[in-house]
PDB file of all heavy atoms in Angstrom:
ATOM      1  N   MET A1076     132.796 209.595 135.941  1.00 95.00           N
ATOM      2  CA  MET A1076     131.541 209.988 135.330  1.00 95.00           C
ATOM      3  C   MET A1076     131.016 208.826 134.491  1.00 95.00           C
ATOM      4  O   MET A1076     131.719 208.310 133.622  1.00 95.00           O
ATOM      5  CB  MET A1076     131.725 211.218 134.428  1.00 95.00           C
ATOM      6  CG  MET A1076     130.394 211.759 133.866  1.00 95.00           C
ATOM      7  SD  MET A1076     130.628 213.028 132.595  1.00 95.00           S
ATOM      8  CE  MET A1076     131.439 214.316 133.519  1.00 95.00           C
ATOM      9  N   ILE A1113     126.709 208.653 109.997  1.00 93.00           N
ATOM     10  CA  ILE A1113     125.474 209.099 109.346  1.00 93.00           C
ATOM     11  C   ILE A1113     124.462 207.968 109.417  1.00 93.00           C
ATOM     12  O   ILE A1113     124.790 206.816 109.117  1.00 93.00           O
ATOM     13  CB  ILE A1113     125.719 209.472 107.863  1.00 93.00           C
ATOM     14  CG1 ILE A1113     126.913 210.421 107.715  1.00 93.00           C
ATOM     15  CG2 ILE A1113     124.452 210.061 107.253  1.00 93.00           C
ATOM     16  CD1 ILE A1113     126.692 211.804 108.230  1.00 93.00           C
ATOM     17  N   ASP A1119     119.562 208.676 100.394  1.00 91.00           N
ATOM     18  CA  ASP A1119     119.982 209.544  99.293  1.00 91.00           C
ATOM     19  C   ASP A1119     121.457 209.901  99.420  1.00 91.00           C
ATOM     20  O   ASP A1119     121.880 210.511 100.404  1.00 91.00           O
ATOM     21  CB  ASP A1119     119.132 210.819  99.295  1.00 91.00           C
ATOM     22  CG  ASP A1119     119.409 211.695  98.086  1.00 91.00           C
ATOM     23  OD1 ASP A1119     120.374 212.485  98.146  1.00 91.00           O
ATOM     24  OD2 ASP A1119     118.679 211.561  97.095  1.00 91.00           O
ATOM     25  N   LYS A1210      98.461 221.580 131.660  1.00 91.00           N
ATOM     26  CA  LYS A1210      99.823 221.930 132.068  1.00 91.00           C
ATOM     27  C   LYS A1210     100.856 221.226 131.179  1.00 91.00           C
ATOM     28  O   LYS A1210     101.835 221.842 130.743  1.00 91.00           O
ATOM     29  CB  LYS A1210     100.060 221.524 133.535  1.00 91.00           C
ATOM     30  CG  LYS A1210     101.443 221.900 134.051  1.00 91.00           C
ATOM     31  CD  LYS A1210     101.643 221.428 135.476  1.00 91.00           C
ATOM     32  CE  LYS A1210     103.015 221.871 136.006  1.00 91.00           C
ATOM     33  NZ  LYS A1210     104.135 221.453 135.161  1.00 91.00           N
ATOM     34  N   ARG A1253      98.575 191.631 128.722  1.00 83.00           N
ATOM     35  CA  ARG A1253      98.819 190.794 129.901  1.00 83.00           C
ATOM     36  C   ARG A1253      98.711 189.303 129.565  1.00 83.00           C
ATOM     37  O   ARG A1253      99.177 188.462 130.313  1.00 83.00           O
ATOM     38  CB  ARG A1253      97.833 191.150 130.998  1.00 83.00           C
ATOM     39  CG  ARG A1253      98.015 192.566 131.555  1.00 83.00           C
ATOM     40  CD  ARG A1253      96.995 192.862 132.622  1.00 83.00           C
ATOM     41  NE  ARG A1253      97.111 191.937 133.745  1.00 83.00           N
ATOM     42  CZ  ARG A1253      96.239 191.868 134.734  1.00 83.00           C
ATOM     43  NH1 ARG A1253      95.170 192.650 134.724  1.00 83.00           N
ATOM     44  NH2 ARG A1253      96.410 191.014 135.716  1.00 83.00           N
ATOM     45  N   GLU A1303     102.663 190.848 113.030  1.00 96.00           N
ATOM     46  CA  GLU A1303     102.171 191.037 114.391  1.00 96.00           C
ATOM     47  C   GLU A1303     103.260 190.818 115.430  1.00 96.00           C
ATOM     48  O   GLU A1303     103.310 191.506 116.457  1.00 96.00           O
ATOM     49  CB  GLU A1303     100.992 190.097 114.652  1.00 96.00           C
ATOM     50  CG  GLU A1303     100.334 190.273 116.012  1.00 96.00           C
ATOM     51  CD  GLU A1303      99.753 191.660 116.243  1.00 96.00           C
ATOM     52  OE1 GLU A1303      99.437 192.357 115.252  1.00 96.00           O
ATOM     53  OE2 GLU A1303      99.600 192.055 117.413  1.00 96.00           O
ATOM     54  N   ARG A1367     115.451 198.658 129.002  1.00 73.00           N
ATOM     55  CA  ARG A1367     114.687 198.708 130.254  1.00 73.00           C
ATOM     56  C   ARG A1367     113.843 197.444 130.355  1.00 73.00           C
ATOM     57  O   ARG A1367     113.772 196.643 129.421  1.00 73.00           O
ATOM     58  CB  ARG A1367     113.801 199.959 130.296  1.00 73.00           C
ATOM     59  CG  ARG A1367     112.801 200.051 129.183  1.00 73.00           C
ATOM     60  CD  ARG A1367     112.074 201.391 129.198  1.00 73.00           C
ATOM     61  NE  ARG A1367     111.010 201.426 128.205  1.00 73.00           N
ATOM     62  CZ  ARG A1367     111.179 201.694 126.921  1.00 73.00           C
ATOM     63  NH1 ARG A1367     112.399 201.966 126.471  1.00 73.00           N
ATOM     64  NH2 ARG A1367     110.171 201.698 126.087  1.00 73.00           N
ATOM     65  N   VAL A1397      99.056 165.052 150.689  1.00 93.00           N
ATOM     66  CA  VAL A1397      98.448 165.007 152.025  1.00 93.00           C
ATOM     67  C   VAL A1397      98.385 163.564 152.533  1.00 93.00           C
ATOM     68  O   VAL A1397      98.746 163.277 153.686  1.00 93.00           O
ATOM     69  CB  VAL A1397      97.039 165.649 152.006  1.00 93.00           C
ATOM     70  CG1 VAL A1397      96.295 165.356 153.313  1.00 93.00           C
ATOM     71  CG2 VAL A1397      97.138 167.152 151.781  1.00 93.00           C
ATOM     72  N   ILE A1455      95.845 168.798 161.263  1.00 88.00           N
ATOM     73  CA  ILE A1455      95.687 168.971 162.717  1.00 88.00           C
ATOM     74  C   ILE A1455      95.047 167.726 163.317  1.00 88.00           C
ATOM     75  O   ILE A1455      93.981 167.280 162.860  1.00 88.00           O
ATOM     76  CB  ILE A1455      94.814 170.218 163.007  1.00 88.00           C
ATOM     77  CG1 ILE A1455      95.447 171.465 162.374  1.00 88.00           C
ATOM     78  CG2 ILE A1455      94.647 170.415 164.511  1.00 88.00           C
ATOM     79  CD1 ILE A1455      94.544 172.672 162.372  1.00 88.00           C
TER      80      ILE A1455
END
Side-chain angles (χ1 to χ4, degrees):
M1076 186 190 297
I1113 310 290
D1119 186 275
K1210 182 182 183 305
R1253 294 179 61 189
E1303 184 60 24
R1367 60 187 186 277
V1397 169
I1455 302 169

